[in-house]
Amino acid sequence: MAKTVVVTGSTRGIGLGLAKEFLKRGCNVVVCGRSQVGVNKAVEQLAAEAGGANLLGVRCDVASFEQVQALWDAGAKRFGRIDIWINNAGTTTNPLPFGQLEKDEIDATLSTKIFGSLYSAHVAINGMLKQGGGDIYFTEGMGGKGEVQEGVAMLGTGNAAVVYFVKALRKEYAGSNVHFHTLRPGINVTEHFLHGVEYLDEARWERSKRVINILGDTPETTTPWLADAILKNDKKEGHIAWLTPMKIMLRFMTASFNKRDLFAGYERPVKN
């Protein structure tokens, strides 16, 4: 029987890539995003690339508990049950010191990452307990392991909070058939990742590009592997990471003769 997968924040980037890969593997897939236009566009693209028979698009802002509940209800009504829920939705601030951020940036980043994860987990836990079990994934990244980097205070804070939250859920639901996992997709050059790069000075931008060209990838590279790893995962407390310490070491060791340019054709926006 085909598994049903919900991927939040799946109208672009990693989420869209995951949705496509799950469809290609015969899963039922529910995609969502805050904009109905974005959802419609994603559904159209996915249907053309991977088929639309097992696909459902739902407009959902994960910072709204009611909309998250409606997302679950729509997926469960269409496909009968939801086996895998992936909390992928996220946004970030411009890469500035915290005191220079706008309040709206702070609110949007933390409400999407923290409250979006909380509301999604609450809805998915209760739905999965009723149906007999399921797996919930939380994407995390910089800050989740205590890393500190300039200009991403809110993103790192959100990731750190999610890592603690997952540990708490594992303890509270240890005896249930609902399992909690973390997903670390590495550095993916996407619209989300490049948000606000016009605020970087030239020297910092060049340093960033050098590192990203060594360690970075695109969703077209990472999401097939991630989808396979998720579908094969049979652990109660799994952690799926694309960019492992060994892979990081090998990439730096081979960087001098393995030239990569993930920014070919990309023009950095100019700040007005």
Side-chain angles (χ1 to χ4, degrees):
M1 184 176 179
K3 288 189 175 182
T4 298
V5 185
V6 172
V7 185
T8 69
S10 46
T11 59
R12 58 186 180 178
I14 295 173
L16 182 65
L18 283 172
K20 181 172 74 171
E21 296 304 325
F22 284 125
L23 282 170
K24 288 167 64 175
R25 288 154 178 75
C27 297
N28 305 315
V29 177
V30 184
V31 298
C32 78
R34 288 180 294 176
S35 162
Q36 187 64 57
V37 172
V39 171
N40 293 344
K41 182 179 178 181
V43 167
E44 182 179 352
Q45 179 181 339
L46 290 168
E49 295 178 355
N54 300 330
L55 175 63
L56 174 65
V58 180
R59 187 182 72 82
C60 175
D61 181 350
V62 295
S64 164
F65 186 91
E66 292 75 18
Q67 290 186 37
V68 174
Q69 184 64 64
L71 174 63
W72 173 279
D73 293 343
K77 180 179 180 181
R78 170 72 178 273
F79 299 116
R81 63 178 283 126
I82 294 171
D83 302 283
I84 299 171
W85 183 292
I86 301 175
N87 291 309
N88 171 74
T91 186
T92 191
T93 65
N94 288 314
L96 296 169
F98 177 72
Q100 296 179 29
L101 298 177
E102 299 292 335
K103 178 182 180 298
D104 289 348
E105 293 182 88
I106 298 170
D107 291 348
T109 301
L110 295 186
S111 63
T112 301
K113 188 64 179 182
I114 297 180
F115 282 101
S117 296
L118 298 179
Y119 294 158
S120 293
H122 192 283
V123 167
I125 286 168
N126 285 294
M128 289 178 177
L129 287 173
K130 290 179 182 177
Q131 69 183 19
D135 293 273
I136 304 175
Y137 285 81
F138 298 80
T139 56
E140 53 107 336
M142 201 289 304
K145 293 183 178 180
E147 311 97 318
V148 178
Q149 185 174 318
E150 179 185 357
V152 287
M154 292 300 88
L155 178 65
T157 297
N159 284 326
V162 165
V163 169
Y164 175 86
F165 181 52
V166 173
K167 292 178 181 178
L169 292 178
R170 287 170 172 171
K171 190 173 186 67
E172 293 178 351
Y173 291 91
S176 77
N177 287 324
V178 180
H179 304 140
F180 306 95
H181 318 278
T182 52
L183 186 67
R184 198 171 177 106
I187 301 171
N188 285 254
V189 179
T190 64
E191 180 182 343
H192 170 79
F193 182 82
L194 293 170
H195 173 75
V197 295
E198 64 270 25
Y199 286 86
L200 303 179
D201 61 43
E202 195 63 29
R204 187 176 167 194
W205 171 240
E206 290 301 323
R207 287 197 304 272
S208 297
K209 284 199 300 182
R210 283 195 295 272
V211 174
I212 295 165
N213 276 325
I214 295 171
L215 298 180
D217 293 285
T218 65
E220 289 76 17
T221 298
T222 61
T223 54
W225 183 90
L226 292 169
D228 284 337
I230 290 168
L231 292 176
K232 292 175 183 176
N233 180 32
D234 58 0
K235 298 179 181 178
K236 292 185 178 181
E237 299 181 357
H239 174 64
I240 296 173
W242 165 258
L243 198 57
T244 62
M246 178 62 73
K247 186 177 290 185
I248 292 172
M249 182 181 70
L250 289 173
R251 288 205 174 177
F252 275 113
M253 289 174 61
T254 59
S256 60
F257 56 86
N258 185 21
K259 300 295 184 181
R260 306 165 78 223
D261 186 3
L262 297 175
F263 300 92
Y266 174 75
E267 293 187 11
R268 181 166 65 114
V270 177
K271 185 179 180 300
N272 295 326

